[in-house]
Amino acid sequence: MGDTWALFLGDKEIRIGKNETPAKLMTVFREEDKYQHLEWARRVDEANARGEAAWDELDEFEDFNHRELFGYRSTVQTIMTRLKLMGFDPDRCSQEMIKDLEDVNQDDIEDGLLVLSRPTRERKQEICHRVSAAEVLDTGIAAYLKRAEAFGNWKEGEDHPELAELEEICVSQLDFFFDDLAVDPRLFLVLILSSQDPEEVLQLDMSELLMAGYFESSEAISTEALQQLRDEMASSGPIIVITEGKYDSRVLGRALPIVRPDIAGYFAFWDLEETKAAGGTDRVVANLRSFAAAGVMNRVIALVDNDAAGLAALKTLANPALPKNHIARNLPDLDYARAYPTHGPSGPSQDDVNGRACSVEFYFGLDCLIGPDGNPVPIQWTSLNKSVNTWQGELQNKRYVEERIDALLDAAEAGQVPLDERWDPLREIAQILIDAAQSR
């Protein structure tokens, strides 16, 4: 008895594994697909809880069909629907696997065809076959299923089932997709199932893993597998950054590769212009909560302005708490914003506008804030935000400042300006994003 699982298509065993719970394959099943022999499973759980070998006490089940003891099963039609929902479209997967075959055999490609051979004991000289990667894939999958069906009907004492020479070559080429742990097993599964009867049953026999104590029969194994993949996606998928507006997303998306090219590729700024999504602080709150409610697996960072509305947004997002991979942060305080020109009911003044009026335009250096008159473009106080008891302010000539920022970014991307201390506020924003992404 080993710690083995097996995947069956009808009566054909199409995949086996050992010493692991096949998490990615488990995602095609749901808990309602679980089947188990209740008495057998109960006694296995009890034996495992005592630290005893479960199979020593289950002699009465020795002649029972092990495939009916514990596992998951559903129809090909249902599994294919789930695979497609997860992005495993047969045509896309086929093209991806064809490219992989060409990459693996790139030294054996002539005139766009693979030149393949397989040595045998029966002949002294190898015979080469010239086939396309697409033919290798189609022939290999058909041969794989043919061999699985033959072994399923093979009886002891009979000769082992054999494949034709080209079938053997093609099916051996598919070993890459099983031996490389980085290859997702759902790629191959969707291609196998795409040609099958929709009413055929796909079954994952996990009885030996249960007996080996990998889990208890009551555990929601498929749900746990999906959560495991969510955690992996949150760690390795792109980190989505939501901003208040399309301008914020555009300029921060351009600035990050300038100030931190070493990490910029890990962040993806949500393109409000492309998606036609609404902007504004209230929409940041709604969008982040929507992402969380939808179970988005990626890490998502909402970046709000360092103003009254932004502080109010952080307060709103703090209760109820967000999932650990959804984080909200505001832009940092600025030294040159501690005494900045403002206009209000009492006339011109110098005020600390941190936490009150620092929008993204403030973070490209004081030079970009200098207006046509040679002075910083002033802040206009607009309203009192009662949620945080702070006045909200806005730049009076924002469009002028944005044009200066665009010009600065153009020059920086062309290598025409030094990356001096004027970029420090953006470096600080980059560090905020890094810290937020690592805060889980």
Side-chain angles (χ1 to χ4, degrees), residues 241 256 267 269 301 303 429-438:
V241 182
L256 194 58
F267 294 89
F269 286 82
I301 302 172
L303 195 62
I429 291 175
Q431 192 59 50
I432 286 173
L433 293 175
I434 294 169
D435 292 344
Q438 295 175 344

Side-chain angles (χ1 to χ4, degrees), residues 301-305 314 317 327-331 432-433 435-436 439:
I301 302 172
L303 195 62
V304 295
D305 290 346
L314 293 184
L317 288 167
I327 309 108
R329 295 290 185 271
N330 66 321
L331 298 174
I432 286 173
L433 293 175
D435 292 344
S439 66

Side-chain angles (χ1 to χ4, degrees), residues 8-319:
F8 291 88
L9 176 62
D11 294 327
K12 299 186 288 289
E13 184 180 84
I14 60 173
R15 187 104 191 228
I16 60 172
K18 192 172 183 179
N19 302 329
E20 62 165 351
T21 300
K24 290 182 178 178
L25 284 176
M26 283 298 307
T27 63
V28 305
F29 296 101
R30 293 294 177 266
E31 283 309 297
E32 59 264 29
D33 303 328
K34 181 190 287 186
Y35 66 90
Q36 59 182 308
H37 188 292
L38 293 176
E39 176 61 18
W40 177 88
R42 182 186 65 79
R43 290 169 64 175
V44 168
D45 285 340
E46 290 177 350
N48 285 334
R50 296 193 303 268
E52 300 174 358
W55 48 85
D56 290 346
E57 300 184 7
L58 299 172
D59 292 343
E60 65 189 85
F61 296 98
E62 185 176 353
D63 296 328
F64 200 88
N65 183 354
H66 71 91
R67 287 180 55 186
E68 298 302 319
L69 295 175
F70 185 85
Y72 290 76
R73 59 187 168 211
S74 189
T75 65
V76 166
Q77 182 178 34
T78 297
I79 300 296
M80 283 294 293
T81 299
R82 293 169 179 170
L83 283 165
K84 290 176 182 178
L85 286 173
M86 288 186 284
F88 292 91
D89 176 78
D91 290 338
R92 183 190 66 80
C93 293
S94 177
Q95 291 304 310
E96 184 173 333
M97 294 178 74
I98 287 170
K99 185 179 185 303
D100 287 341
L101 285 169
E102 291 172 340
D103 290 343
V104 170
N105 297 282
Q106 57 183 329
D107 294 335
D108 298 315
I109 296 179
E110 294 181 5
D111 299 325
L113 297 175
L114 306 184
V115 181
L116 304 174
S117 61
R118 183 173 183 270
T120 65
R121 290 178 296 178
E122 286 76 19
R123 61 171 186 263
K124 296 180 179 179
Q125 186 175 1
E126 293 183 356
I127 299 176
C128 294
H129 295 266
R130 298 172 62 87
V131 290
S132 67
E135 184 179 355
V136 170
L137 184 61
D138 290 344
T139 303
I141 288 175
Y144 187 90
L145 287 168
K146 179 179 177 181
R147 187 170 63 184
E149 183 170 9
F151 269 107
N153 296 318
W154 176 74
K155 295 180 177 59
E156 189 174 355
E158 297 179 351
D159 291 335
H160 283 282
E162 294 184 0
L163 300 176
E165 181 181 82
L166 181 58
E167 290 177 322
E168 287 283 6
I169 292 173
C170 291
V171 79
S172 68
Q173 287 290 312
L174 302 184
D175 289 343
F176 163 76
F177 299 105
F178 298 103
D179 297 339
D180 190 336
L181 296 178
V183 176
D184 195 312
R186 291 170 295 185
L187 279 171
F188 194 61
L189 180 62
V190 74
L191 296 187
I192 287 179
L193 299 186
S194 62
S195 61
Q196 301 302 306
D197 180 353
E199 298 305 315
E200 185 63 276
V201 173
L202 186 74
Q203 177 182 5
L204 183 61
D205 176 10
M206 305 178 72
S207 55
E208 289 191 12
L209 295 185
L210 181 66
M211 294 180 71
Y214 280 69
F215 39 74
E216 296 180 359
S217 62
S218 60
E219 288 185 40
I221 309 167
S222 67
T223 302
E224 292 169 5
L226 190 59
Q227 184 58 51
Q228 178 182 330
L229 290 188
R230 284 196 179 105
D231 292 342
E232 290 179 10
M233 175 63 76
S235 298
S236 59
I239 304 161
I240 301 170
V241 182
I242 303 176
T243 62
E244 292 191 18
K246 61 184 180 182
Y247 180 80
D248 300 25
S249 179
R250 178 166 63 82
V251 294
L252 290 177
R254 291 178 66 186
L256 194 58
I258 295 172
V259 298
R260 290 299 302 268
D262 56 320
I263 54 88
Y266 292 93
F267 294 89
F269 286 82
W270 193 23
D271 191 340
L272 296 174
E273 191 164 20
E274 182 69 23
T275 60
K276 307 299 182 185
T281 312
D282 57 337
R283 296 311 307 163
V284 172
V285 173
N287 289 331
L288 187 61
R289 288 214 178 276
S290 294
F291 277 35
V296 172
M297 299 179 187
N298 303 63
R299 284 167 286 179
V300 183
I301 302 172
L303 195 62
V304 295
D305 290 346
N306 184 20
D307 59 9
L311 296 181
L314 293 184
K315 183 178 179 180
T316 300
L317 288 167
N319 188 25

